[in-house]
Amino acid sequence: MQDDIRRTVLFLVNGFGVDKRDIYDICNDAIIPNINKLASENIYSAIGNLSTNYKNGFRIFSTSDKQLPGYRTVAQDIIDNYDHHEKFNQIAEKLVQENKKLHIFCYLDNDTTIDHAKNIVRCFKNKNVSNIFIHVIFRTFKEQNYKIIEKNINNIKLISTQYPDVKFGMFFGNELLEDIQQTKDLYQMLITEVGERWPDFVRKIEILRDKNTKPGTIKPFFITGGFKVEEGDSILFLNYEYVDYSNFIEMLLNPKLHFSLSKLPLNVKVYSLFPIKAKVAIESVYGNQVSENYLVKYLDKINAKALVITKKEKLTFINNFLNGMQNTKSDRLDFMIIDDNLPIANIVTNPNYQLYIFDYDIGDVNNMEELKNQLHKADAMLGNVAHQCKLYDYSLFVSSLYGIEKEWKRENNLVYIINYAVQVPLIVVDRLTIKGKHFINNGSNQYLLPTVIKNMKKDLNVHSMISEKSQGLFSSFKL
């Protein structure tokens, strides 16, 4: 490892943010004394936040990219109308030859995924594929986002105006795919077309919103008939992220392992847009898409190694993101399980690492007291980390990769409202980065990683949010 690398700690209090409204005295010194002290004594700024969920936040942090790498690939092929994509053409030809139904499962999270879905359907229709059904999977990004859901569904439904045989089938939350029994319920509705039917989609959305149902937990329902999966049908998952479809795909391909029904659809063909995790291998239109820049690639450039301290259940997808959307093991990256009683002094003085990332998350709290308690625990750990950084002259960055948005009822019909979704803090504690001389440019947590890497290796040509204040009108001109 190089001697000119400045050892650095990145301490993340994920879910925490900057709330401009009344936050019920959460940020007082009794709860977060160390955060307040570091913010007042060092360079501090509120920076933009680009995510409201943990996974998306970690991906944006590692790749410094708001979009998944597959977005650009799909967009380019849509421009070419898939005429030059061999695998897509093979799927379309099979569908035309066999004249069975095509079931497209998709997320409609944003304008990009909606545009892709609409254009992929249009490409299938241009190749004379008929009888297409779209099944929508809702995801939990915000507690209340039903206006967005309704807008997105109405947007994708416009394609039915141009192609009347393109219809909608099931709607359900993504969290149902994680539970084997709920996945069975999904499958059974898919092959029997028996279940909750809501021709008035708007009314259904109003009920879900009024009941404060999280989108990811929405039970399956449908708005039109005729969508049941039958013998020889094809299924295409429009997927972009690392999602576990194991239970669902196994039922689609091997229904007899789970059901004793007399009529089970066999010979169902299953495809995905990108490779997905499943017990049974399925064909994908594209291979794995790798980001242009990501943590491990930065570590390669500066010949450094990082230790990530996080929860056990988060190791797999964090490793995937930090490796640029690749499920590989890098020698540049090690993990440790986070615990309230970590021996901080032993961890940050380990000579094998130049970057230490503490991944503390407060996003799963259910009430105000839990939030205060989790923040206080994070602050206590940060205090120990800050002490060691000062002792050994390390750089310390304190920030968050996403912000929670919560609403809890309290007495007298009032509510606690926490909105950390817009901005998160960035505190820079470094002997060489001087308050009054340096400042943090306008930016977002999209640029947090390159800022940290630039601080570790000053001569590396990457973007940093830290700048030095001008000394005068002609200070940038040298004679």
Side-chain angles (χ1 to χ4, degrees):
M1 301 298 174
Q2 298 181 28
D3 294 332
D4 59 344
I5 294 177
R6 187 152 178 74
R7 289 181 185 269
T8 300
V9 174
L10 172 60
F11 194 98
L12 299 170
V13 188
N14 288 315
F16 185 50
V18 179
D19 195 335
K20 294 181 179 179
R21 298 177 299 177
D22 177 14
I23 54 174
Y24 311 104
D25 209 22
I26 291 177
C27 294
N28 62 52
D29 288 346
I31 297 174
I32 52 170
N34 294 300
I35 291 176
N36 286 344
K37 186 173 186 294
L38 291 172
S40 64
E41 295 178 353
N42 300 277
I43 294 176
Y44 161 79
S45 179
I47 60 174
N49 168 51
L50 299 180
S51 179
T52 56
N53 69 91
Y54 184 94
K55 287 187 178 180
N56 201 39
F58 236 104
R59 180 189 60 77
I60 292 173
F61 161 72
S62 180
T63 64
S64 301
D65 196 340
K66 289 184 286 187
Q67 288 192 330
L68 289 157
Y71 281 6
R72 287 183 292 272
T73 303
V74 176
Q76 185 58 50
D77 271 5
I78 285 172
I79 292 172
D80 297 335
N81 207 29
Y82 283 101
D83 287 339
H84 306 295
H85 200 286
E86 181 180 356
K87 198 165 288 187
F88 181 86
N89 286 330
Q90 289 173 355
I91 294 173
E93 287 172 9
K94 283 184 181 179
L95 289 166
V96 172
Q97 289 171 4
E98 298 173 6
N99 194 29
K100 298 289 185 178
K101 289 193 290 294
L102 169 63
H103 302 264
I104 296 178
F105 285 81
C106 58
Y107 300 121
L108 301 178
D109 296 335
N110 52 53
D111 291 342
T112 302
T113 54
I114 293 170
D115 182 63
H116 288 178
K118 289 166 67 175
N119 280 286
I120 286 172
V121 170
R122 189 171 289 114
C123 289
F124 274 123
K125 295 304 300 178
N126 289 342
K127 294 180 183 295
N128 299 315
V129 175
S130 60
N131 213 4
I132 297 175
F133 279 88
I134 299 173
H135 306 275
V136 176
I137 306 174
F138 299 121
R139 294 203 279 184
T140 301
F141 285 140
K142 290 185 178 181
E143 295 295 319
Q144 304 291 338
N145 64 349
Y146 284 100
K147 286 185 179 179
I148 297 174
I149 288 175
E150 187 176 344
K151 169 181 157 295
N152 290 351
I153 295 297
N154 287 332
N155 191 342
I156 191 71
K157 282 174 70 175
L158 291 175
I159 201 166
S160 298
T161 304
Q162 183 176 1
Y163 303 110
D165 61 340
V166 176
K167 300 177 182 178
F168 281 80
M170 290 171 50
F171 297 77
F172 61 92
N174 70 298
E175 293 183 22
L176 274 62
L177 296 171
E178 300 171 5
D179 180 85
I180 187 68
Q181 184 54 53
Q182 294 191 94
T183 308
K184 282 186 176 182
D185 294 341
L186 286 172
Y187 178 83
Q188 194 147 338
M189 182 184 286
L190 194 60
I191 66 170
T192 63
E193 203 176 302
V194 175
E196 191 177 341
R197 180 168 179 167
W198 283 88
D200 187 350
F201 175 77
V202 174
R203 177 59 183 151
K204 175 62 174 177
I205 291 297
E206 288 175 352
I207 292 172
L208 291 167
R209 183 182 60 239
D210 291 343
K211 290 184 177 180
N212 293 321
T213 305
K214 293 182 179 180
T217 64
I218 292 174
K219 301 298 182 183
F221 68 94
F222 58 96
I223 59 176
T224 57
F227 64 83
K228 68 171 66 173
V229 171
E230 298 177 297
E231 184 85 13
D233 281 357
S234 294
I235 291 173
L236 171 62
F237 290 98
L238 299 188
N239 65 303
Y240 296 86
E241 295 187 55
Y242 184 78
V243 178
D244 189 349
Y245 290 93
S246 296
N247 296 333
F248 201 25
I249 291 174
E250 185 171 305
M251 288 179 195
L252 290 167
L253 297 180
N254 299 301
K256 291 182 179 180
L257 293 177
H258 304 276
F259 297 91
S260 58
L261 300 174
S262 57
K263 291 185 178 180
L264 289 168
L266 303 176
N267 194 29
V268 174
K269 301 172 185 64
V270 182
Y271 309 96
S272 63
L273 200 59
F274 298 99
I276 59 178
K277 179 182 178 182
K279 297 173 185 175
V280 183
I282 65 172
E283 187 177 353
S284 62
V285 178
Y286 301 100
N288 282 315
Q289 302 294 296
V290 181
S291 299
E292 295 179 5
N293 292 295
Y294 48 92
L295 177 70
V296 169
K297 194 169 183 178
Y298 282 127
L299 295 175
D300 281 335
K301 287 181 179 179
I302 66 175
N303 192 25
K305 190 170 183 177
L307 175 66
V308 180
I309 303 98
T310 187
K311 289 184 178 180
K312 184 177 182 180
E313 61 267 25
K314 295 176 178 177
L315 294 179
T316 302
F317 65 81
I318 290 179
N319 180 72
N320 180 49
F321 294 147
L322 299 187
N323 279 283
M325 308 297 287
Q326 302 174 92
N327 292 316
T328 59
K329 176 67 178 76
S330 170
D331 292 337
R332 298 286 183 187
L333 198 60
D334 284 337
F335 290 90
M336 177 180 288
I337 306 304
I338 198 165
D339 183 87
D340 291 338
N341 299 310
L342 284 173
I344 301 297
N346 294 337
I347 293 172
V348 299
T349 56
N350 188 320
N352 293 325
Y353 308 103
Q354 291 69 45
L355 174 62
Y356 309 83
I357 300 176
F358 286 81
D359 173 36
Y360 202 101
D361 185 37
I362 63 167
D364 58 353
V365 294
N366 296 309
N367 54 61
M368 185 60 64
E369 289 307 311
E370 284 186 18
L371 177 60
K372 291 178 180 179
N373 184 50
Q374 289 300 315
L375 277 174
H376 189 60
K377 284 184 177 181
D379 187 82
M381 186 182 295
L382 174 59
N384 291 331
V385 170
H387 174 73
Q388 295 299 322
C389 288
K390 184 175 182 179
L391 197 62
Y392 292 96
D393 193 26
Y394 288 4
S395 297
L396 171 63
F397 288 75
V398 183
S399 193
S400 173
L401 302 184
Y402 79 102
I404 60 174
E405 185 176 349
K406 297 282 187 178
E407 180 177 309
W408 295 299
K409 290 183 180 179
R410 55 177 179 161
E411 65 279 358
N412 301 323
N413 293 320
L414 298 175
V415 293
Y416 290 113
I417 299 175
I418 298 295
N419 185 3
Y420 292 151
V422 179
Q423 291 182 309
V424 295
L426 175 56
I427 304 171
V428 182
V429 185
D430 187 283
R431 176 177 55 83
L432 302 178
T433 307
I434 304 166
K435 186 176 182 179
K437 182 179 179 181
H438 297 89
F439 68 101
I440 298 172
N441 288 315
N442 291 333
S444 68
N445 44 13
Q446 175 185 2
Y447 303 110
L448 179 58
L449 179 58
T451 299
V452 170
I453 296 295
K454 178 75 171 182
N455 190 74
M456 294 175 66
K457 182 75 172 172
K458 297 294 186 185
D459 59 355
L460 191 66
N461 185 26
V462 295
H463 174 78
S464 174
M465 288 187 285
I466 300 175
S467 295
E468 187 171 348
K469 290 185 178 180
S470 173
Q471 300 301 311
L473 181 62
F474 301 105
S475 59
S476 61
F477 295 89
K478 293 185 179 180
L479 300 175

